[in-house]
Amino acid sequence: MNTTSHVQHGAWRLPEARQTDFNSLDHWVSLAKTLEAGKFDFIFFADVVGLYPDYQGSWRKFVESGLQIPSNDPSVIASAIAYATENLGIAITSSVLQAHPFDFARKMSTLDHASNGRIAWNIVTSPMRNAWRNFGYDEITAHDDRYLWADEYVDVAYKLWEGSWDDDALLQDKVSGLHGDFDKVHKINHDGKRYRVEGPHLVSPSPQRTPVLFQAGSSPAGRRFAARNAEAQFILSPTPQAAKGLIDDTRRLVAEAGRHPEDLQFFQGLSFVIGSTEEEAARKAAELDEVLDPSSFIAHIAGSLGYDLGFHDLDTPVGEIETQGLRSVLAWLHEAVPDREPTVRDLAALWGKNGRVVGTPESIADTLATWQAAGVGGINVVNSTIPGSYEEFIDHVLPVLRDRGLAKRNYAEGTARRKATGRDRLPDTHPAAAYRGAFAPVIAS
Ligand SMILES: Cc1cc2nc3c(=O)[nH]c(=O)nc-3n(C[C@H](O)[C@H](O)[C@H](O)COP(=O)(O)O)c2cc1C
């Protein structure tokens, strides 16, 4: 995320951590080049457009800890990354809340041209009330209704990306003087519940037309949305076994939506602490724990808990604060700390270690093989430090993964979608494909 403290709160204080340089374009271009040299598929930017719910009744904590504020717009730096790289996919998050779909579709098409087809979109719906208030709403739209909203949003974008221009509409013929073929550019005339968009799309067809589509969020409504739309879903499963259950269920929905089950891939978020021996890795993990800030983790997850835990001392036993909203999280915590009454501090510590893999490159490769066997198609490498977390992964883990056939040695040719799936554009089974040719005038014969 284009901010100091995204997930591993407090790690920015480590001497080698450079994530405080996030305002600098050089910082991101340099990271992108590092990732490309390491043959990463994508640089993925998370993004939010508001604050998390209050901590200790206030948003002070977020400012004081650099917890996703300040944060910058990733789409603006995407074009610089596109210019500085050739093969790296560039995935940016944008909420249906933050931009009108006409404007957003135009921006993404422009970036897809600028990157020769390497743009991806992580579709999110903004679960934070403050974000909604930033865009003029008094209250947040209800959970499942946000996904219905997203359904219409993506439909508008699909119409513009896939249906507005025929492939051969742009002529640029200097001899005839004809720049565009009027009969092959179409208005979309979308008239829906939230949006009315006449069109046409102002951008000519880009290499991928629709960007590679990512989604995060695995509630029943989220799974249904992903099954219809996404090509990759970010997941945060606690175990490979849990991931398998989620993947099998969601792939069943993909098939129900008329798509091929393998057309949706799953990327598990994991962070890595790497040592040349298990002892060294454990020591580095302990050093990291020293700087991680438990109260920031509590502040960050309060939104998911639906409860401001900030009013409780970190050493408060959770048994004293049971509430309706917290019940499932507390049950999970009791399982994780079975031998005594867990505290708020335990919750923060366990949350901070969620998805952390500690070990040698070889043992990490063993762990990743178990995730792959569960159906996970890729790893979202969560950083503790930028660029250190990625440099270590590239230098030490990727060579072992390559030797085991778990990571590629070279990029395939072409767009981000072609590299991943062998084709530049969405398959015919994707709902966006239904808009191809859908707006062409019907000519009476
Ligand atoms: C790995 C992961 C990454 C996410 N990244 C973002 C993000 O960058 N911006 C955002 O607004 N929400 C993000 N979310 C939140 C989801 O979009 C979604 O709102 C949330 O997971 C709740 O959805 P659900 O109820 O369907 O599970 C992310 C969620 C996950 C699991």
Side-chain angles (χ1 to χ4, degrees):
M1 187 168 169
N2 197 341
T3 191
T4 289
S5 200
H6 174 211
V7 174
Q8 299 287 325
H9 303 303
W12 64 274
R13 298 174 68 191
L14 287 166
E16 71 273 23
R18 295 262 73 88
Q19 49 261 46
T20 43
D21 295 342
F22 69 93
N23 281 326
S24 147
L25 200 50
D26 281 342
H27 171 76
W28 293 111
V29 167
S30 157
L31 177 63
K33 286 181 168 172
T34 299
L35 296 175
E36 184 163 81
K39 310 285 190 292
F40 267 68
D41 298 286
F42 286 92
I43 182 168
F44 160 56
F45 287 95
D47 192 34
V48 293
V49 286
L51 298 169
Y52 289 88
D54 282 356
Y55 174 80
Q56 297 181 337
S58 158
W59 50 285
R60 169 188 293 273
K61 172 72 182 166
F62 301 98
V63 175
E64 291 184 344
S65 305
L67 201 168
Q68 303 192 5
I69 178 173
S71 78
N72 298 341
D73 182 339
S75 70
V76 178
I77 62 167
S79 65
I81 291 174
Y83 190 66
T85 55
E86 276 178 32
N87 283 294
L88 186 68
I90 306 160
I92 58 175
T93 299
S94 187
S95 168
V96 302
L97 173 65
Q98 77 189 76
H100 191 283
F102 181 81
D103 185 53
F104 176 71
R106 185 173 184 232
K107 176 158 70 177
M108 292 303 269
S109 295
T110 306
L111 284 170
D112 202 48
H113 276 303
S115 63
N116 292 320
R118 291 183 287 133
I119 284 294
W121 173 27
N122 179 35
I123 310 164
V124 299
T125 59
S126 292
M128 297 123 105
R129 179 174 289 116
N130 176 246
W132 289 77
R133 292 193 173 164
N134 288 338
F135 288 88
Y137 300 89
D138 289 332
E139 274 309 320
I140 190 162
T141 295
H143 181 274
D144 288 9
D145 291 342
R146 296 204 297 277
Y147 281 110
L148 294 179
W149 184 321
D151 281 338
E152 185 183 348
Y153 192 97
V154 296
D155 264 359
V156 174
Y158 294 160
K159 287 177 182 178
L160 292 164
W161 285 327
E162 300 287 337
S164 188
W165 286 67
D166 296 350
D167 278 336
D168 47 357
L170 187 66
L171 301 172
Q172 299 184 316
D173 185 337
K174 291 194 179 182
V175 176
S176 70
L178 203 57
H179 196 268
D181 184 339
F182 176 73
D183 293 332
K184 294 181 174 171
V185 184
H186 316 292
K187 293 187 172 180
I188 63 163
N189 292 310
H190 176 88
D191 190 358
K193 183 162 178 230
R194 294 190 190 276
Y195 299 110
R196 293 176 68 203
V197 179
E198 184 172 278
H201 194 32
L202 292 180
V203 190
S204 63
S206 66
Q208 302 183 112
R209 284 191 179 245
T210 299
V212 176
L213 299 170
F214 290 176
Q215 186 266 2
S218 319
S219 63
R223 291 182 197 196
R224 189 200 55 76
F225 183 84
R228 178 176 184 267
N229 298 290
E231 299 175 271
Q233 188 183 45
F234 291 116
I235 59 172
L236 291 173
S237 289
T239 61
Q241 195 53 33
K244 183 167 174 13
L246 171 65
I247 291 168
D248 289 350
D249 182 59
T250 311
R251 286 224 164 112
R252 184 180 53 76
L253 297 173
V254 177
E256 274 178 32
R259 300 173 63 204
H260 192 285
E262 293 287 322
D263 284 351
L264 177 58
Q265 293 292 319
F266 296 83
F267 297 163
Q268 166 72 13
L270 295 173
S271 66
F272 298 91
V273 184
I274 308 160
S276 53
T277 61
E278 294 294 337
E279 296 69 37
E280 187 191 344
R283 181 176 52 71
K284 284 172 73 178
E287 283 166 12
L288 176 60
D289 285 337
E290 287 288 305
V291 294
L292 292 183
D293 173 21
S295 57
S296 286
F297 283 97
I298 294 296
H300 190 171
I301 63 180
S304 324
L305 300 174
Y307 184 75
D308 183 355
L309 270 179
F311 288 112
H312 300 279
D313 186 84
L314 285 171
D315 294 312
T316 308
V318 294
E320 291 176 18
I321 48 169
E322 291 219 23
T323 71
Q324 196 69 17
L326 279 171
R327 212 170 269 174
S328 63
V329 175
L330 295 183
W332 167 81
L333 187 60
H334 277 288
E335 270 177 38
V337 188
D339 49 334
R340 60 185 167 78
E341 179 65 26
T343 62
V344 176
R345 190 186 300 279
D346 291 320
L347 177 61
L350 285 167
W351 210 273
K353 287 178 193 161
N354 205 7
R356 184 196 283 180
V357 186
V358 182
T360 61
E362 289 72 24
S363 71
I364 289 172
D366 293 342
T367 303
L368 292 183
T370 65
W371 285 97
Q372 190 197 42
V376 166
I379 298 298
N380 180 13
V381 181
V382 177
N383 65 77
S384 301
T385 62
I386 293 178
S389 294
Y390 299 107
E391 289 172 343
E392 284 193 22
F393 193 84
I394 289 166
D395 291 345
H396 302 295
V397 179
L398 274 172
V400 179
L401 295 180
R402 284 193 187 110
D403 286 347
R404 297 193 191 185
L406 288 170
K408 66 184 174 305
R409 292 185 187 278
N410 285 303
Y411 284 112
E413 292 287 308
T415 63
R417 181 175 288 113
R418 180 171 287 279
K419 285 177 170 61
T421 70
R423 52 177 180 253
D424 291 324
R425 296 190 173 163
L426 285 166
D428 292 345
T429 47
H430 191 281
Y435 297 123
R436 292 176 187 152
F439 307 108
V442 181
I443 299 165
S445 58

